[in-house]
Amino acid sequence: RMSRHAQKLRDHDINPCVAETDATTKCMDDNDYKKDMCTAYFLKYKNCRKFWHSIMMQRRRNGVKPEMPSADERKKILESMG
């Protein structure tokens, strides 16, 4: 059974970067944990975190709740950006 923290990290409404996390983990598994083989995946994850963190901070400043958009809402935000 997963810990509450682990469950939150797997929750698409809480963690916008589940897919990037999974891709990075798979790359590391597939390449005997040689980080340099997975640089692109780490970068995608980092960019994902940075992007959604900035959205979250903007919403916090504007008093929007919840601060992290739901998975459906995030999909619409991304679609609106092209």
Side-chain angles (χ1 to χ4, degrees):
R1 190 152 148 64
M2 280 197 285
S3 71
R4 287 182 69 103
H5 179 71
Q7 284 174 330
K8 280 174 98 170
L9 293 178
R10 300 298 312 156
D11 185 336
H12 289 271
D13 282 330
I14 295 171
N15 180 0
C17 302
V18 173
E20 289 79 2
T21 303
D22 290 348
T24 303
T25 303
K26 183 180 178 340
C27 181
M28 290 292 281
D29 287 345
D30 292 349
N31 291 288
D32 291 326
Y33 293 87
K34 295 185 183 97
K35 276 188 170 176
D36 56 327
M37 301 289 285
C38 302
T39 308
Y41 292 96
F42 284 113
L43 197 58
K44 281 182 188 165
Y45 173 78
K46 188 176 166 188
N47 289 337
C48 178
R49 296 297 305 174
K50 199 186 308 186
F51 176 78
W52 290 112
H53 181 74
S54 69
I55 298 278
M56 199 171 80
M57 296 311 290
Q58 187 65 51
R59 287 168 66 105
R60 185 177 292 165
R61 279 193 294 275
N62 296 340
V64 178
K65 296 279 184 200
E67 290 166 356
M68 178 56 71
S70 69
D72 287 342
E73 207 177 337
R74 287 195 310 269
K75 191 175 172 210
K76 288 178 188 142
I77 291 169
L78 292 174
E79 284 169 358
S80 75
M81 295 174 72

